[in-house]
Amino acid sequence: MTPEELRACCLEQNGAWEDFPFPGNPGLSTFKIKEKIFAFSALDEAPLRVSLKCDPEIAVRLRESYPAVRPGWHLNKRHWNTVLLDGSLPDRTVREMIEDSYDLVVAGLPRWERLRLGQS
């Protein structure tokens, strides 16, 4: 997955937008729904990585199954994974992880915001 494909996949999520909120790290893209982050990536760095929110039990299974999936770097390691996009994971798996991260964040939004997004 290229940086452009990663950005596009994140922005495909309903209502998602890209922000650069960290003055100390202006190259760090954050992908948000409302004001909540569901993905982080320094798109101009190599190797390309993305940090994604994850259900804690699933996070452990993914780390055990894929060497490219590690506990979230500088994040709550129980709820976040950092994924090395080195080609060892199929793009479909990465897309599913992005969608799951988005869904977890949306689930935490107030009901009226979820309804506006077409979620229940």
Side-chain angles (χ1 to χ4, degrees), residues 22-73:
F22 303 110
N25 196 347
L28 183 64
S29 292
T30 61
F31 297 94
K32 299 180 175 183
I33 179 62
K34 301 296 179 180
E35 290 298 319
K36 305 288 185 179
I37 298 170
F38 68 90
F40 293 94
S41 184
L43 296 171
D44 59 347
E45 289 186 7
L48 182 61
R49 292 181 172 86
V50 63
S51 292
L52 301 165
K53 194 161 188 137
C54 193
D55 174 89
E57 292 178 18
I58 296 171
V60 171
R61 284 197 305 254
L62 288 169
R63 293 172 198 161
E64 290 171 349
S65 298
Y66 302 104
V69 179
R70 299 186 180 131
W73 189 67

Side-chain angles (χ1 to χ4, degrees), residues 4-21:
E4 295 78 19
E5 291 168 333
L6 175 59
R7 174 180 277 131
C9 184
C10 289
L11 293 175
E12 284 172 6
Q13 308 310 307
N14 187 22
W17 58 287
E18 185 176 13
D19 192 17
F20 301 90

